[in-house]
Amino acid sequence: FLWLGELYKRQAEFTSLFARAAEKLTPLVQTEEPSPRRFSAKETAEIQSCIADLEACVAYSSEHWQSMVLLAKAHQSLHNHRESLDWWGKAMKIETANHILPKEASITALHLSDIDAALRFSAEALRRKPDDPALTGNPAMNLLNAGPDSCPLTTHDPAHHPTSRDPTSRRTP
């Protein structure tokens, strides 16, 4: 039963790493500020330390999408949008129901000026939670950010074809 003790030890290490990274990272990346936050050198080092811990978590458990989400948020906060988008993509392959993941990936794609990816992720978020009125607005915002003539309006049909279940549509003649 020596192997069982080693398994428990590794699980405890994983849990400790994830909990420590989540605790340190969450106040830094969860912000209500309208513009991207600039971090001090100390805060940047703290985020980079969390990234290392979370990468160790993913190395331990390659299916731990929660670590991937925190990695995406950490990279996003440091304006490493390409790395952030990569982590969002990995997390979405594992967690296929949560609509927040593609919604956040859409925002990250906008930072990269990748409107096609932003629209694809918006469509995925809407597919995952079709009755969410906030999500139906995301494709329209992506098209507005793209500017005129960048893509046809037919690109994103869920936003242009509201359902009769949509309370706003029922009130609109």
Side-chain angles (χ1 to χ4, degrees), residues 51-72:
I51 288 172
D53 287 349
L54 292 164
E55 286 175 343
C57 288
V58 172
Y60 177 78
S61 176
S62 62
E63 299 291 308
H64 197 251
W65 64 270
Q66 297 90 339
S67 291
M68 295 173 193
V69 165
L70 287 179
L71 279 162

Side-chain angles (χ1 to χ4, degrees), residues 28-39:
L28 294 171
V29 299
Q30 299 294 334
T31 179
E32 303 211 4
E33 298 172 18
S35 59
R37 181 173 171 200
R38 297 287 175 201
F39 295 103

Side-chain angles (χ1 to χ4, degrees), residues 125-136 163 165-167:
L126 201 52
R127 185 193 66 75
R128 292 181 182 197
K129 193 170 182 188
D131 293 331
D132 187 329
L135 293 178
T136 56
T163 65
R165 294 175 299 182
D166 179 6

Side-chain angles (χ1 to χ4, degrees), residues 15-30:
T15 302
S16 175
L17 273 176
F18 181 76
R20 180 177 66 211
E23 184 178 322
K24 290 191 306 187
L25 189 61
T26 299
L28 294 171
V29 299
Q30 299 294 334

Side-chain angles (χ1 to χ4, degrees), residues 41-59:
K42 181 181 177 185
E43 289 171 323
T44 299
E46 191 79 12
I47 292 170
Q48 290 169 338
S49 170
C50 292
I51 288 172
D53 287 349
L54 292 164
E55 286 175 343
C57 288
V58 172

